Amino acid sequence: MTTTPARDVAARLGETFADYVPSLEGRDIVAIRPSYGLMIGGRERPAESGATITTIDPSTGAALSEVAEAGPADVDAAVDAARGAFERRWRDAAPRERSKLVFRLARLLQDRAREFAVLETLDGGKPIRESRDVDVPLAAAHFFYHAGWADKLQYAMPGMRARPLGVVGQIIPWNFPLMMAAWKLAPALACGNTVVLKPAETTPLTALLLAELVDEAGFPPGVVNVVTGAGATGSALVDHRGVDKIAFTGSTGVGKGILRALAGRDVRLTLELGGKGAHIVFDDAALDQAVEGIVDGIFFNQGHVCCAGSRLLVQESVADDLLGRLRRRMELLRVGDPLDKNTDVGAINSHAQLVRIREYVEGAVAEGCAVHQPQREIPSQGFYYPPTMVTDIGGSERIAREEVFGPVLTVQTFRTEAEAVARANSTRYGLSAGIWTEKGSRILWLANNLRAGVVWANTFNQFDPSSPFGGIRESGFGREGGRQGLEAYLELTPVRP
Ligand code: NAD
């Protein structure tokens, strides 16, 4: 029944089988089935139409599995199952029971952390070091954190009666498939909602494995339903008259379409959309540390990061020095097999995304920009793109304005703080920004003036479930994480003292 030979995976990981998971010696590390159905009402079933989509390993281009493609009838069945579970079981479940189950889910995820990490890397192309050290632990942390809130909602919202919304449709992208599923499911479940989750078409496998853990944890059937498919499946979920809320993470273009589709309907909406984050380096910054932050900000997860620091703004007086250090650091980045623990930059998630990245960089050259890429070889099979730095930017070029969503950094210089802020804010997005300076007063002034939902100082890409994350302007609205993240899943009404 498995299609992924465990020993091949172990070899690519550079480990003997026994090193990897001693308890699994003689069995497969990751049991990827040849096909997967939809998870509706606690049962796995094929799409009514019989349609499937193939999910592939982007590091080789080889097929991993066939996954059901849900149509409107399947979405209807999933929403029905979620409604039934909400009204009969979950809405009135004791808060401590919800807390216990969400906690159990976190523990189960931890127990199978390595299996999830390998599956995430195989299906999405991200380096195993990242899925092992970031994606899976952070996903578990979100469940732990929200398990703690489930029986303290009254405390979280003083003076308010907090009630769940009902059935929530959740649509997630392919860049952090497991983590986005956790960011969505954990608060929704802790607050007493039931869910229909729609993973991205190129990365459905960890969400489906997570659905198995939901069952194992003991959630009532129908509390979590997973409908796999592409944009049409997501659209059917948005259009369904039985959902009380849509939580969407993805591109700004699709987010705007969802906003239009829901106009005039009594459906709550949160949108976590794209970004074009500025990374601002001043002349007093610790430059080597700034270089590490810049590298992490744009090359982590191949730059498939909504809050990536994709626009470097460097103070003119240190620009040559900083860019020299950055070029030398880029030479050291290893682009290759995502399952190799020494890999820094893995595979681009899909062929379509690879084509998009190439077009952006070719377009930049046509518009007169200079492109720098390290001389190291990259694999010839699979979807790979080298770490790239684009200079000689005026600001009006397409690559300077639009989200590339790849390992591509644009560079501009500035002279004054005011100029840095003006450049950083000259985008329609407003998700993230990074500041590198030793001066505290400057950090505070910039943080107040940058139009971004998240601002990091002398660090980048720090995430914690207790810290609300989200954007402004065309990066969306609503927050995930922290007490603010709970509000998105609750009906709050004032209570009289
Ligand atoms: P996408 O918008 O193409 O797809 C996202 C999800 O929406 C997928 O599951 C897709 O199948 C579904 N979808 C596509 N068309 C739809 C439609 N018409 N109706 C309903 N659902 C539809 O985005 P993507 O390419 O998968 O993801 C990359 C984007 O996500 C980037 O723009 C990135 O910045 C953004 N993102 C944002 C955050 C955040 O927290 N702000 C986090 C991760 C990714």
Side-chain angles (χ1 to χ4, degrees), residues 281-287 315 318 436-439 442:
V281 182
F282 287 89
D283 58 5
D284 66 335
L287 292 189
Q315 200 157 23
V318 285
W436 294 82
T437 175
E438 294 292 292
K439 235 172 143 179
R442 182 184 267 163

Side-chain angles (χ1 to χ4, degrees), residues 365-385:
V365 173
E367 287 189 87
C369 304
V371 170
H372 170 80
Q373 293 173 332
Q375 293 311 304
R376 296 179 81 124
E377 271 188 24
I378 61 171
S380 52
Q381 285 224 313
F383 316 140
Y384 290 94
Y385 198 82

Side-chain angles (χ1 to χ4, degrees), residues 172 174-175 198 201 234 248-251 272-274 306 403 405:
I172 55 174
W174 44 261
N175 56 341
K198 211 295 281 173
E201 50 273 41
F248 173 79
T249 298
S251 59
E272 299 279 357
L273 309 176
C306 52
E403 186 185 39
F405 223 55

Side-chain angles (χ1 to χ4, degrees), residues 171-176 180 183-184 198-201 229-236 238 248-255 257-258 271-275 304-307 353 356 403 405 429 431 469-471 475 480:
I171 301 170
I172 55 174
W174 44 261
N175 56 341
F176 294 98
M180 289 298 110
W183 284 29
K184 292 271 178 284
K198 211 295 281 173
E201 50 273 41
T233 307
S235 191
V238 170
F248 173 79
T249 298
S251 59
T252 294
V254 173
I258 292 176
L271 295 174
E272 299 279 357
L273 309 176
H304 302 327
V305 183
C306 52
C307 55
Q353 187 61 21
R356 207 170 296 146
E403 186 185 39
F405 223 55
Y429 294 110
L431 191 53
F469 180 89
S475 292
E480 294 187 298

Side-chain angles (χ1 to χ4, degrees), residues 72-132:
D74 305 300
V75 169
D76 198 32
V79 172
D80 262 8
R83 174 67 53 199
F86 179 70
E87 287 176 0
R88 287 193 291 277
R89 306 285 296 274
W90 198 238
R91 175 180 56 192
D92 302 318
R96 67 171 180 281
E97 180 68 9
R98 295 204 303 259
S99 177
K100 187 180 78 186
L101 294 180
V102 176
F103 188 85
R104 219 184 255 166
L105 182 58
R107 290 294 303 271
L108 288 171
L109 181 54
Q110 274 189 327
D111 286 349
R112 292 171 69 175
R114 304 200 82 184
E115 185 182 349
F116 270 93
V118 173
L119 192 59
E120 192 76 323
T121 284
L122 279 172
D123 204 18
K126 66 177 64 201
I128 186 74
R129 222 176 42 205
E130 293 177 8
S131 32
R132 183 194 63 190

